Amino acid sequence: MYNSKIIGLGRFVPENVVTNDELSTMMDTNDAWIQERTGIKERRWVKDSGDTTATMGVKAAKIAIERSGLDKDDIDFIIFATLSPDMYFPGPGVQVQEALDIKTIGALDVRNQCSGFVYAISVADQFIKTGMYKNVLVIGSELHSHGLDKTTRGRGVSVIFGDGAGAAVLTREEDTTKGILSTHLHSQGAHAKELVLEAPGMGTRWVTDIMEENNADDESYFPHMNGQFVFKNAVVRFSEVIMEGLNKNKLEVSDVDMLIPHQANLRISQFIQRKFQLEDSQVYNNIQRYGNTTAASIPIALTEAWEEGKIKEGDTVVLAAFGSGFTWGSIIIKW
C-alpha cells in the first residue's frame, strides 16, 4: 500500500474584478448588505478574455505540473471537478488532455459541485494507493458568471459566486505516515432541491421545452438556494466530517495546523473556527476576494496558503467542503 501526496499546486483567476459597489449598479444591493451576509467584498468574473472553465483549468494545471517537477507526459490520469463545463458533454477532462498535449490517458469528470474537489482528490488518492496510477492531475474550475441572474430577483445567489480554477498534482508516497492520510465522503439527496439548478434537465424541462415556452420569467435555468437551510446544514456537516477525519487518524483539534474550508460563506467558516476554538492562523479564507468558486475554491485557497508559506512540511492540513446534493467531505493530510 502507498499513500498519495500533493507535489504541485496551481491557481488561476480572471483579471476582471467585480466589486460589491459594481453589483449595486446591476441590482438592488449594496456593499454592506453583501458583506454582512457573506463576507464577500469582490469576486472575479470572466470578461472579454475568452476564458472558459476548461481553459482556466488548463492554466492552473500548467502551473501545478511545473511546480511538481514532473513532465506533462508523466501524468497518468486526469480528474476534473466542475458544475459549469464548457459543453453539456463531453466534460472538460478531455479538453485538458488535448490542450496539454498529453498522451491518451484517461480523463474523469466529477459533478459534486462545492465538494467536487474533495471528491476528486479522494478518487485520485484511491487510484494511487491501489497502485493503478502513480501521478494524477486533479483540477477544480468554475465559470459561474455567464449563468447567473444578475438582477434583483437573483441577487441572493448572484452576489456569492465567482470564476476561477485551481489544480493539484498527486503522486505516490511510500511513507504512509505522510501525504493524504484519509478521505471521508457523504451525501443526503433528500435535500437536493435546496441548492439546485433544475433546467435544462431531461427529467424536468429540456432545452426544447424552454425554447418553445420562451418565458422570460422562467427561473429554472438559474441557480436556486434556500440560504438559511443550507447554512444550518453546512455548519453541522462541516463539524461532523472534520471530526470524523481527526478521529480516524487519532488526532485532536489542537493538532490542526491549517484548516481550509470550502469558501461558501465567510460566516460558515467563522462559525466552525469559533466552535473548534482555532486561531486565525489555523484557518485560511479568501472568499472576501474571490467569492464562492465552488469546485475551485479549495484548490485556489490551498495554493494561496502554500504560496504564502502558511503550510509547511510536517503540518497537519484539513480540507473540508459542503454543498449542493447535499454532498460533503473532508481530507486529512500530513504535508
Side-chain angles (χ1 to χ4, degrees):
M1 288 290 292
Y2 307 101
N3 271 6
S4 66
K5 68 176 179 180
I6 296 172
I7 58 170
L9 290 167
R11 63 183 177 91
F12 173 82
V13 293
E15 292 184 0
N16 181 45
V17 177
V18 179
T19 65
N20 292 343
D21 288 336
E22 187 172 345
L23 289 184
S24 69
T25 67
M26 307 176 193
M27 60 190 75
D28 183 12
T29 191
N30 58 68
D31 178 66
W33 188 90
I34 296 171
Q35 286 204 51
E36 179 183 349
R37 287 161 177 78
T38 69
I40 300 169
K41 299 178 181 179
E42 59 188 40
R43 71 285 297 144
R44 305 295 181 95
W45 282 357
V46 168
K47 179 182 180 182
D48 302 330
S49 66
D51 277 311
T52 70
T53 295
T55 65
M56 290 191 294
V58 168
K59 291 175 180 178
K62 286 181 176 179
I63 297 169
I65 293 171
E66 180 181 358
R67 288 173 170 174
S68 74
L70 300 179
D71 183 82
K72 63 181 178 61
D73 288 319
D74 293 325
I75 301 298
D76 302 316
F77 198 73
I78 299 166
I79 306 177
F80 200 121
T82 188
L83 64 75
S84 54
D86 296 359
M87 300 173 280
Y88 200 84
F89 65 85
V94 296
Q95 293 176 270
V96 171
Q97 179 272 327
E98 178 192 21
L100 294 179
D101 191 28
I102 297 176
K103 55 186 181 290
T104 55
I105 61 174
L108 172 69
D109 300 290
V110 172
R111 292 291 303 274
N112 282 81
Q113 297 68 249
C114 294
S115 59
F117 188 77
V118 168
Y119 267 72
I121 288 288
S122 180
V123 173
D125 178 53
Q126 294 303 312
F127 275 140
I128 292 172
K129 280 181 174 175
T130 59
M132 185 168 184
Y133 298 119
K134 183 178 180 181
N135 303 311
V136 180
L137 171 63
V138 180
I139 299 169
S141 182
E142 303 288 3
L143 201 168
H144 288 297
S145 58
H146 291 179
L148 298 174
D149 180 1
K150 301 185 183 84
T151 69
T152 299
R153 179 182 67 181
R155 66 179 178 177
V157 172
S158 297
V159 302
I160 297 172
F161 292 98
D163 304 335
V169 175
L170 281 69
T171 195
R172 187 178 299 164
E173 171 57 67
E174 295 186 4
D175 183 349
T176 55
T177 66
K178 298 178 181 179
I180 295 176
L181 303 182
S182 64
T183 62
H184 309 270
L185 308 176
H186 298 276
S187 70
Q188 189 176 21
H191 301 314
K193 289 196 174 182
E194 303 298 340
L195 179 50
V196 65
L197 195 156
E198 292 192 55
M202 293 183 183
T204 52
R205 298 171 60 253
W206 190 233
V207 173
T208 49
D209 300 313
I210 296 171
M211 292 174 64
E212 183 177 336
E213 294 168 11
N214 194 26
N215 180 7
D217 295 325
D218 183 9
E219 299 181 45
S220 64
Y221 47 85
F222 290 124
H224 162 77
M225 179 173 64
N226 182 347
Q228 290 187 345
F229 188 82
V230 171
F231 187 101
K232 290 176 181 178
N233 278 265
V235 294
V236 171
R237 297 308 190 186
F238 262 114
S239 301
E240 288 178 349
V241 82
I242 290 169
M243 288 308 304
E244 179 183 1
L246 294 177
N247 291 337
K248 169 70 175 179
N249 295 283
K250 297 180 172 57
L251 296 169
E252 303 292 336
V253 171
S254 58
D255 294 318
V256 176
D257 295 296
M258 179 58 68
L259 167 63
I260 299 183
H262 162 57
Q263 304 294 295
N265 186 309
L266 185 59
R267 308 309 168 213
I268 294 175
S269 298
Q270 290 171 334
F271 182 95
I272 299 302
Q273 179 177 344
R274 288 193 300 269
K275 180 171 183 177
F276 288 137
Q277 298 182 332
L278 297 172
E279 301 293 332
D280 289 346
S281 60
Q282 294 173 279
V283 183
Y284 193 86
N285 290 300
N286 61 5
I287 190 172
Q288 304 93 319
R289 301 190 303 278
Y290 302 127
N292 179 349
T293 55
T294 311
S297 81
I298 286 180
I300 291 174
L302 179 61
T303 302
E304 279 199 341
W306 174 79
E307 289 171 343
E308 294 170 12
K310 296 181 178 179
I311 295 176
K312 303 175 294 296
E313 185 175 355
D315 281 354
T316 298
V317 178
V318 179
L319 312 180
F322 174 91
S324 174
F326 290 151
T327 61
W328 62 98
S330 66
I331 302 172
I332 310 298
I333 305 170
K334 180 62 72 171
W335 203 262

mmCIF file of all heavy atoms in Angstrom, residues 120-159:
data_model
loop_
_atom_site.group_PDB
_atom_site.id
_atom_site.type_symbol
_atom_site.label_atom_id
_atom_site.label_comp_id
_atom_site.label_asym_id
_atom_site.label_seq_id
_atom_site.Cartn_x
_atom_site.Cartn_y
_atom_site.Cartn_z
ATOM 1 N N ALA A 120 -12.874 14.604 -5.872
ATOM 2 C CA ALA A 120 -11.884 14.301 -6.903
ATOM 3 C C ALA A 120 -10.557 13.874 -6.291
ATOM 4 O O ALA A 120 -9.912 12.928 -6.776
ATOM 5 C CB ALA A 120 -11.690 15.521 -7.803
ATOM 6 N N ILE A 121 -10.135 14.559 -5.229
ATOM 7 C CA ILE A 121 -8.901 14.169 -4.539
ATOM 8 C C ILE A 121 -9.044 12.768 -3.949
ATOM 9 O O ILE A 121 -8.097 11.958 -3.984
ATOM 10 C CB ILE A 121 -8.552 15.182 -3.428
ATOM 11 C CG1 ILE A 121 -8.061 16.505 -4.038
ATOM 12 C CG2 ILE A 121 -7.496 14.606 -2.489
ATOM 13 C CD1 ILE A 121 -6.685 16.460 -4.658
ATOM 14 N N SER A 122 -10.220 12.457 -3.428
ATOM 15 C CA SER A 122 -10.453 11.136 -2.854
ATOM 16 C C SER A 122 -10.302 10.046 -3.912
ATOM 17 O O SER A 122 -9.700 8.997 -3.660
ATOM 18 C CB SER A 122 -11.850 11.065 -2.229
ATOM 19 O OG SER A 122 -12.088 9.792 -1.667
ATOM 20 N N VAL A 123 -10.831 10.313 -5.109
ATOM 21 C CA VAL A 123 -10.709 9.343 -6.207
ATOM 22 C C VAL A 123 -9.242 9.180 -6.595
ATOM 23 O O VAL A 123 -8.735 8.058 -6.757
ATOM 24 C CB VAL A 123 -11.543 9.785 -7.420
ATOM 25 C CG1 VAL A 123 -11.281 8.883 -8.620
ATOM 26 C CG2 VAL A 123 -13.036 9.784 -7.082
ATOM 27 N N ALA A 124 -8.536 10.302 -6.751
ATOM 28 C CA ALA A 124 -7.117 10.251 -7.105
ATOM 29 C C ALA A 124 -6.322 9.488 -6.047
ATOM 30 O O ALA A 124 -5.435 8.681 -6.371
ATOM 31 C CB ALA A 124 -6.570 11.673 -7.260
ATOM 32 N N ASP A 125 -6.633 9.755 -4.798
ATOM 33 C CA ASP A 125 -5.948 9.098 -3.681
ATOM 34 C C ASP A 125 -6.095 7.585 -3.767
ATOM 35 O O ASP A 125 -5.127 6.840 -3.578
ATOM 36 C CB ASP A 125 -6.539 9.632 -2.371
ATOM 37 C CG ASP A 125 -5.938 8.982 -1.135
ATOM 38 O OD1 ASP A 125 -4.703 8.988 -1.015
ATOM 39 O OD2 ASP A 125 -6.713 8.487 -0.292
ATOM 40 N N GLN A 126 -7.292 7.118 -4.065
ATOM 41 C CA GLN A 126 -7.521 5.672 -4.143
ATOM 42 C C GLN A 126 -6.818 5.055 -5.350
ATOM 43 O O GLN A 126 -6.268 3.942 -5.264
ATOM 44 C CB GLN A 126 -9.019 5.372 -4.179
ATOM 45 C CG GLN A 126 -9.748 5.743 -2.911
ATOM 46 C CD GLN A 126 -9.165 5.054 -1.693
ATOM 47 O OE1 GLN A 126 -8.927 3.843 -1.702
ATOM 48 N NE2 GLN A 126 -8.912 5.820 -0.645
ATOM 49 N N PHE A 127 -6.813 5.744 -6.474
ATOM 50 C CA PHE A 127 -6.091 5.241 -7.643
ATOM 51 C C PHE A 127 -4.610 5.060 -7.325
ATOM 52 O O PHE A 127 -3.984 4.078 -7.731
ATOM 53 C CB PHE A 127 -6.238 6.208 -8.823
ATOM 54 C CG PHE A 127 -7.480 6.002 -9.648
ATOM 55 C CD1 PHE A 127 -8.197 7.092 -10.120
ATOM 56 C CD2 PHE A 127 -7.926 4.729 -9.986
ATOM 57 C CE1 PHE A 127 -9.335 6.915 -10.894
ATOM 58 C CE2 PHE A 127 -9.062 4.541 -10.760
ATOM 59 C CZ PHE A 127 -9.772 5.638 -11.218
ATOM 60 N N ILE A 128 -4.043 6.017 -6.606
ATOM 61 C CA ILE A 128 -2.615 5.960 -6.282
ATOM 62 C C ILE A 128 -2.356 4.914 -5.201
ATOM 63 O O ILE A 128 -1.398 4.132 -5.289
ATOM 64 C CB ILE A 128 -2.107 7.345 -5.857
ATOM 65 C CG1 ILE A 128 -2.122 8.295 -7.066
ATOM 66 C CG2 ILE A 128 -0.703 7.254 -5.267
ATOM 67 C CD1 ILE A 128 -1.825 9.745 -6.730
ATOM 68 N N LYS A 129 -3.200 4.863 -4.175
ATOM 69 C CA LYS A 129 -2.996 3.912 -3.082
ATOM 70 C C LYS A 129 -3.058 2.461 -3.558
ATOM 71 O O LYS A 129 -2.357 1.594 -3.029
ATOM 72 C CB LYS A 129 -4.042 4.143 -1.988
ATOM 73 C CG LYS A 129 -3.710 5.308 -1.070
ATOM 74 C CD LYS A 129 -4.758 5.487 0.006
ATOM 75 C CE LYS A 129 -4.314 6.573 0.995
ATOM 76 N NZ LYS A 129 -5.359 6.859 2.000
ATOM 77 N N THR A 130 -3.894 2.198 -4.529
ATOM 78 C CA THR A 130 -4.021 0.823 -5.028
ATOM 79 C C THR A 130 -2.974 0.482 -6.074
ATOM 80 O O THR A 130 -2.894 -0.666 -6.521
ATOM 81 C CB THR A 130 -5.417 0.603 -5.638
ATOM 82 O OG1 THR A 130 -5.615 1.530 -6.717
ATOM 83 C CG2 THR A 130 -6.504 0.767 -4.602
ATOM 84 N N GLY A 131 -2.180 1.473 -6.489
ATOM 85 C CA GLY A 131 -1.129 1.223 -7.462
ATOM 86 C C GLY A 131 -1.564 1.315 -8.905
ATOM 87 O O GLY A 131 -0.778 1.056 -9.815
ATOM 88 N N MET A 132 -2.817 1.695 -9.155
ATOM 89 C CA MET A 132 -3.287 1.777 -10.541
ATOM 90 C C MET A 132 -2.582 2.892 -11.303
ATOM 91 O O MET A 132 -2.206 2.726 -12.463
ATOM 92 C CB MET A 132 -4.799 2.000 -10.562
ATOM 93 C CG MET A 132 -5.386 1.979 -11.957
ATOM 94 S SD MET A 132 -7.187 1.905 -11.924
ATOM 95 C CE MET A 132 -7.546 1.783 -13.678
ATOM 96 N N TYR A 133 -2.426 4.061 -10.653
ATOM 97 C CA TYR A 133 -1.718 5.182 -11.268
ATOM 98 C C TYR A 133 -0.695 5.728 -10.293
ATOM 99 O O TYR A 133 -0.847 5.601 -9.074
ATOM 100 C CB TYR A 133 -2.693 6.296 -11.671
ATOM 101 C CG TYR A 133 -3.712 5.870 -12.695
ATOM 102 C CD1 TYR A 133 -5.078 5.910 -12.407
ATOM 103 C CD2 TYR A 133 -3.317 5.423 -13.952
ATOM 104 C CE1 TYR A 133 -6.015 5.513 -13.340
ATOM 105 C CE2 TYR A 133 -4.254 5.013 -14.893
ATOM 106 C CZ TYR A 133 -5.600 5.060 -14.583
ATOM 107 O OH TYR A 133 -6.528 4.667 -15.504
ATOM 108 N N LYS A 134 0.320 6.385 -10.842
ATOM 109 C CA LYS A 134 1.348 6.982 -9.993
ATOM 110 C C LYS A 134 1.168 8.485 -9.855
ATOM 111 O O LYS A 134 1.276 9.028 -8.752
ATOM 112 C CB LYS A 134 2.745 6.693 -10.547
ATOM 113 C CG LYS A 134 3.858 7.236 -9.663
ATOM 114 C CD LYS A 134 5.243 6.898 -10.209
ATOM 115 C CE LYS A 134 6.320 7.460 -9.289
ATOM 116 N NZ LYS A 134 7.694 7.180 -9.809
ATOM 117 N N ASN A 135 0.891 9.185 -10.955
ATOM 118 C CA ASN A 135 0.784 10.644 -10.955
ATOM 119 C C ASN A 135 -0.574 11.064 -11.515
ATOM 120 O O ASN A 135 -0.890 10.771 -12.669
ATOM 121 C CB ASN A 135 1.896 11.268 -11.805
ATOM 122 C CG ASN A 135 3.278 10.859 -11.344
ATOM 123 O OD1 ASN A 135 3.587 10.926 -10.163
ATOM 124 N ND2 ASN A 135 4.109 10.417 -12.279
ATOM 125 N N VAL A 136 -1.362 11.745 -10.697
ATOM 126 C CA VAL A 136 -2.717 12.134 -11.099
ATOM 127 C C VAL A 136 -2.867 13.648 -11.009
ATOM 128 O O VAL A 136 -2.492 14.254 -10.000
ATOM 129 C CB VAL A 136 -3.784 11.450 -10.216
ATOM 130 C CG1 VAL A 136 -5.188 11.860 -10.654
ATOM 131 C CG2 VAL A 136 -3.626 9.918 -10.287
ATOM 132 N N LEU A 137 -3.415 14.245 -12.052
ATOM 133 C CA LEU A 137 -3.713 15.676 -12.099
ATOM 134 C C LEU A 137 -5.169 15.885 -11.718
ATOM 135 O O LEU A 137 -6.071 15.309 -12.338
ATOM 136 C CB LEU A 137 -3.454 16.215 -13.507
ATOM 137 C CG LEU A 137 -3.913 17.642 -13.805
ATOM 138 C CD1 LEU A 137 -3.175 18.658 -12.944
ATOM 139 C CD2 LEU A 137 -3.741 17.965 -15.292
ATOM 140 N N VAL A 138 -5.403 16.700 -10.691
ATOM 141 C CA VAL A 138 -6.764 16.995 -10.229
ATOM 142 C C VAL A 138 -7.016 18.495 -10.394
ATOM 143 O O VAL A 138 -6.216 19.319 -9.951
ATOM 144 C CB VAL A 138 -6.957 16.593 -8.756
ATOM 145 C CG1 VAL A 138 -8.387 16.906 -8.310
ATOM 146 C CG2 VAL A 138 -6.661 15.112 -8.573
ATOM 147 N N ILE A 139 -8.141 18.834 -11.025
ATOM 148 C CA ILE A 139 -8.479 20.228 -11.310
ATOM 149 C C ILE A 139 -9.879 20.526 -10.777
ATOM 150 O O ILE A 139 -10.789 19.707 -10.882
ATOM 151 C CB ILE A 139 -8.460 20.502 -12.833
ATOM 152 C CG1 ILE A 139 -7.062 20.241 -13.403
ATOM 153 C CG2 ILE A 139 -8.907 21.933 -13.142
ATOM 154 C CD1 ILE A 139 -7.030 20.235 -14.920
ATOM 155 N N GLY A 140 -10.039 21.723 -10.205
ATOM 156 C CA GLY A 140 -11.359 22.258 -9.887
ATOM 157 C C GLY A 140 -11.477 23.601 -10.576
ATOM 158 O O GLY A 140 -10.629 24.485 -10.376
ATOM 159 N N SER A 141 -12.485 23.786 -11.410
ATOM 160 C CA SER A 141 -12.607 25.034 -12.179
ATOM 161 C C SER A 141 -14.072 25.362 -12.391
ATOM 162 O O SER A 141 -14.889 24.464 -12.614
ATOM 163 C CB SER A 141 -11.901 24.886 -13.534
ATOM 164 O OG SER A 141 -11.975 26.092 -14.277
ATOM 165 N N GLU A 142 -14.382 26.660 -12.315
ATOM 166 C CA GLU A 142 -15.775 27.096 -12.494
ATOM 167 C C GLU A 142 -15.848 28.434 -13.226
ATOM 168 O O GLU A 142 -15.055 29.342 -12.969
ATOM 169 C CB GLU A 142 -16.464 27.279 -11.138
ATOM 170 C CG GLU A 142 -16.470 26.064 -10.237
ATOM 171 C CD GLU A 142 -17.396 24.945 -10.675
ATOM 172 O OE1 GLU A 142 -18.041 25.063 -11.753
ATOM 173 O OE2 GLU A 142 -17.479 23.941 -9.934
ATOM 174 N N LEU A 143 -16.813 28.517 -14.126
ATOM 175 C CA LEU A 143 -17.196 29.787 -14.743
ATOM 176 C C LEU A 143 -18.679 29.996 -14.437
ATOM 177 O O LEU A 143 -19.548 29.529 -15.155
ATOM 178 C CB LEU A 143 -16.947 29.781 -16.246
ATOM 179 C CG LEU A 143 -16.836 31.157 -16.929
ATOM 180 C CD1 LEU A 143 -16.293 31.018 -18.344
ATOM 181 C CD2 LEU A 143 -18.164 31.892 -16.970
ATOM 182 N N HIS A 144 -18.939 30.663 -13.325
ATOM 183 C CA HIS A 144 -20.317 30.899 -12.887
ATOM 184 C C HIS A 144 -20.957 32.106 -13.567
ATOM 185 O O HIS A 144 -22.164 32.133 -13.819
ATOM 186 C CB HIS A 144 -20.354 31.171 -11.374
ATOM 187 C CG HIS A 144 -20.090 29.984 -10.525
ATOM 188 N ND1 HIS A 144 -20.896 28.871 -10.507
ATOM 189 C CD2 HIS A 144 -19.094 29.740 -9.622
ATOM 190 C CE1 HIS A 144 -20.426 28.000 -9.648
ATOM 191 N NE2 HIS A 144 -19.332 28.494 -9.097
ATOM 192 N N SER A 145 -20.161 33.118 -13.833
ATOM 193 C CA SER A 145 -20.704 34.453 -14.116
ATOM 194 C C SER A 145 -21.611 34.504 -15.333
ATOM 195 O O SER A 145 -22.530 35.321 -15.379
ATOM 196 C CB SER A 145 -19.566 35.467 -14.276
ATOM 197 O OG SER A 145 -18.680 35.081 -15.304
ATOM 198 N N HIS A 146 -21.384 33.634 -16.304
ATOM 199 C CA HIS A 146 -22.219 33.666 -17.508
ATOM 200 C C HIS A 146 -23.609 33.082 -17.274
ATOM 201 O O HIS A 146 -24.507 33.276 -18.097
ATOM 202 C CB HIS A 146 -21.528 32.913 -18.652
ATOM 203 C CG HIS A 146 -20.304 33.616 -19.159
ATOM 204 N ND1 HIS A 146 -19.510 33.111 -20.163
ATOM 205 C CD2 HIS A 146 -19.730 34.781 -18.795
ATOM 206 C CE1 HIS A 146 -18.506 33.939 -20.396
ATOM 207 N NE2 HIS A 146 -18.624 34.955 -19.569
ATOM 208 N N GLY A 147 -23.792 32.384 -16.152
ATOM 209 C CA GLY A 147 -25.079 31.730 -15.917
ATOM 210 C C GLY A 147 -25.843 32.242 -14.717
ATOM 211 O O GLY A 147 -26.737 31.565 -14.220
ATOM 212 N N LEU A 148 -25.495 33.437 -14.253
ATOM 213 C CA LEU A 148 -26.163 33.991 -13.076
ATOM 214 C C LEU A 148 -27.254 34.980 -13.470
ATOM 215 O O LEU A 148 -27.153 35.669 -14.489
ATOM 216 C CB LEU A 148 -25.133 34.702 -12.186
ATOM 217 C CG LEU A 148 -24.021 33.834 -11.611
ATOM 218 C CD1 LEU A 148 -22.999 34.701 -10.883
ATOM 219 C CD2 LEU A 148 -24.582 32.771 -10.676
ATOM 220 N N ASP A 149 -28.266 35.059 -12.641
ATOM 221 C CA ASP A 149 -29.339 36.040 -12.818
ATOM 222 C C ASP A 149 -28.890 37.342 -12.158
ATOM 223 O O ASP A 149 -29.021 37.527 -10.954
ATOM 224 C CB ASP A 149 -30.616 35.512 -12.162
ATOM 225 C CG ASP A 149 -31.787 36.479 -12.312
ATOM 226 O OD1 ASP A 149 -31.611 37.548 -12.935
ATOM 227 O OD2 ASP A 149 -32.881 36.158 -11.801
ATOM 228 N N LYS A 150 -28.354 38.249 -12.984
ATOM 229 C CA LYS A 150 -27.759 39.473 -12.444
ATOM 230 C C LYS A 150 -28.801 40.588 -12.324
ATOM 231 O O LYS A 150 -28.578 41.730 -12.738
ATOM 232 C CB LYS A 150 -26.589 39.923 -13.329
ATOM 233 C CG LYS A 150 -25.477 38.884 -13.459
ATOM 234 C CD LYS A 150 -24.312 39.440 -14.244
ATOM 235 C CE LYS A 150 -23.224 38.413 -14.449
ATOM 236 N NZ LYS A 150 -23.470 37.540 -15.590
ATOM 237 N N THR A 151 -29.937 40.232 -11.739
ATOM 238 C CA THR A 151 -30.992 41.197 -11.455
ATOM 239 C C THR A 151 -31.317 41.102 -9.972
ATOM 240 O O THR A 151 -30.835 40.211 -9.263
ATOM 241 C CB THR A 151 -32.259 40.908 -12.273
ATOM 242 O OG1 THR A 151 -32.862 39.677 -11.802
ATOM 243 C CG2 THR A 151 -31.933 40.772 -13.768
ATOM 244 N N THR A 152 -32.177 42.001 -9.507
ATOM 245 C CA THR A 152 -32.577 41.972 -8.101
ATOM 246 C C THR A 152 -33.209 40.636 -7.740
ATOM 247 O O THR A 152 -33.021 40.125 -6.634
ATOM 248 C CB THR A 152 -33.543 43.130 -7.804
ATOM 249 O OG1 THR A 152 -32.871 44.363 -8.077
ATOM 250 C CG2 THR A 152 -33.999 43.104 -6.362
ATOM 251 N N ARG A 153 -33.916 40.036 -8.689
ATOM 252 C CA ARG A 153 -34.542 38.738 -8.448
ATOM 253 C C ARG A 153 -33.519 37.687 -8.037
ATOM 254 O O ARG A 153 -33.780 36.842 -7.168
ATOM 255 C CB ARG A 153 -35.277 38.286 -9.711
ATOM 256 C CG ARG A 153 -35.949 36.925 -9.604
ATOM 257 C CD ARG A 153 -36.606 36.523 -10.919
ATOM 258 N NE ARG A 153 -35.607 36.278 -11.959
ATOM 259 C CZ ARG A 153 -35.911 35.923 -13.213
ATOM 260 N NH1 ARG A 153 -37.184 35.802 -13.581
ATOM 261 N NH2 ARG A 153 -34.962 35.716 -14.105
ATOM 262 N N GLY A 154 -32.340 37.729 -8.636
ATOM 263 C CA GLY A 154 -31.346 36.695 -8.397
ATOM 264 C C GLY A 154 -30.218 37.089 -7.467
ATOM 265 O O GLY A 154 -29.242 36.346 -7.321
ATOM 266 N N ARG A 155 -30.356 38.238 -6.799
ATOM 267 C CA ARG A 155 -29.217 38.751 -6.026
ATOM 268 C C ARG A 155 -28.781 37.833 -4.893
ATOM 269 O O ARG A 155 -27.603 37.812 -4.527
ATOM 270 C CB ARG A 155 -29.559 40.125 -5.448
ATOM 271 C CG ARG A 155 -30.659 40.099 -4.406
ATOM 272 C CD ARG A 155 -30.955 41.468 -3.841
ATOM 273 N NE ARG A 155 -32.060 41.406 -2.882
ATOM 274 C CZ ARG A 155 -32.507 42.438 -2.188
ATOM 275 N NH1 ARG A 155 -31.945 43.627 -2.354
ATOM 276 N NH2 ARG A 155 -33.507 42.302 -1.334
ATOM 277 N N GLY A 156 -29.698 37.077 -4.302
ATOM 278 C CA GLY A 156 -29.347 36.207 -3.185
ATOM 279 C C GLY A 156 -28.313 35.154 -3.541
ATOM 280 O O GLY A 156 -27.596 34.657 -2.685
ATOM 281 N N VAL A 157 -28.240 34.817 -4.835
ATOM 282 C CA VAL A 157 -27.271 33.839 -5.321
ATOM 283 C C VAL A 157 -26.140 34.515 -6.076
ATOM 284 O O VAL A 157 -24.965 34.216 -5.880
ATOM 285 C CB VAL A 157 -27.968 32.796 -6.233
ATOM 286 C CG1 VAL A 157 -26.935 31.893 -6.903
ATOM 287 C CG2 VAL A 157 -28.954 31.955 -5.435
ATOM 288 N N SER A 158 -26.490 35.455 -6.931
ATOM 289 C CA SER A 158 -25.512 36.012 -7.871
ATOM 290 C C SER A 158 -24.378 36.777 -7.204
ATOM 291 O O SER A 158 -23.269 36.825 -7.743
ATOM 292 C CB SER A 158 -26.223 36.927 -8.875
ATOM 293 O OG SER A 158 -27.145 36.185 -9.643
ATOM 294 N N VAL A 159 -24.624 37.376 -6.041
ATOM 295 C CA VAL A 159 -23.556 38.131 -5.375
ATOM 296 C C VAL A 159 -22.493 37.212 -4.778
ATOM 297 O O VAL A 159 -21.403 37.661 -4.421
ATOM 298 C CB VAL A 159 -24.131 39.046 -4.268
ATOM 299 C CG1 VAL A 159 -25.147 40.016 -4.847
ATOM 300 C CG2 VAL A 159 -24.741 38.237 -3.123
#
